[in-house]
Each structure stands twice: as C-alpha cells, then as structure tokens.
Amino acid sequence: QVQLVESGGGVVQPGGSLGLSCATSGRIFSVDAMGWYRQAPGKQRALVATMTVDGSTTYADSVKGRLTVSRDNAKNTVYLQMNSLKPEDTAVYYCNADIFPFNGFGYRDYWGQGTLVTVSS
C-alpha cells in the first residue's frame, strides 16, 4: 500500500533553517509531480512548492528565494529546504505526490500525514 511519510518538522527561530523530507513506501510503478503544501492555523491548505519529474518547479510567491524543493527520483523522495524562516511560515506541512501504484491502473493523489513547523523566538 502506497504511503507518504514526512519528517523533519520542529521548532526553529526566525531566520533559521529546517529541512523536510517525504519518503514514499509501498510498491510504486511511477511517480509524477511531488511537492509540499502547508496549512497555517485557521487557514486553508496552500501550495508551497512542487516539482515535476523532469525538475520543473512551482513556488508560492511568499517562499521564493527562501524555500527550495528538490527530489530524488531513484528514491521517490521529495525534500523541502527551508531557509530564512519567518513566523508566517508556521504551519503543518504536507507532502503531496501523484503516484501510480504498481498494482494500480493510474495515477492517484497521495498526501502525507503532515509535520508541524513552528517558527518563533
């Protein structure tokens, strides 16, 4: 059964850095786009950054230049390197991926359980 598991969340001071990882598990035939979304308290889930299998990226304007998405296609893992963090970055960060399970018949949208990032002094 395909699953996504995030790791790396925690508490960091403003201006600090944090790295998130999202690992896939299960029998996977193929993975298309992967990325990160976040949901701040009282707000809707919003896109942070995504990357296609060929390396094309999309970023929210609020994180450009500070957060960087990357992926390892061999490991079907996506990362989010967060630098120069601001209190406004505080949110639950969710991994997202379009995955074609080995025993499936097409791509499905998968979500991780979320990992909390808190930026405060």
Side-chain angles (χ1 to χ4, degrees), residues 1-108:
Q1 188 173 26
V2 174
Q3 290 184 301
L4 301 179
V5 180
E6 302 102 330
S7 63
V11 180
V12 64
Q13 294 184 341
S17 298
L18 203 61
L20 305 182
S21 298
C22 174
T24 60
S25 65
R27 299 192 68 194
I28 295 171
F29 177 75
S30 184
V31 179
D32 196 3
M34 303 184 77
W36 297 89
Y37 292 70
R38 67 186 181 186
Q39 187 166 19
K43 298 183 179 179
Q44 293 214 310
R45 189 174 301 187
L47 180 145
V48 176
T50 62
M51 179 176 282
T52 63
V53 69
D54 64 319
S56 179
T57 58
T58 300
Y59 289 95
D61 288 340
S62 60
V63 307
K64 289 180 179 177
R66 300 187 300 112
L67 277 60
T68 303
V69 64
S70 62
R71 63 188 287 175
D72 185 335
N73 291 334
K75 296 180 179 180
N76 289 323
T77 300
V78 64
Y79 309 92
L80 184 67
Q81 180 60 48
M82 303 186 291
N83 299 322
S84 302
L85 284 165
K86 304 175 180 180
E88 306 91 271
D89 295 316
T90 296
V92 176
Y93 284 71
Y94 296 91
C95 178
N96 174 260
D98 298 321
I99 299 174
F100 193 143
F102 187 80
N103 61 346
F105 297 95
Y107 285 93
R108 288 189 174 199

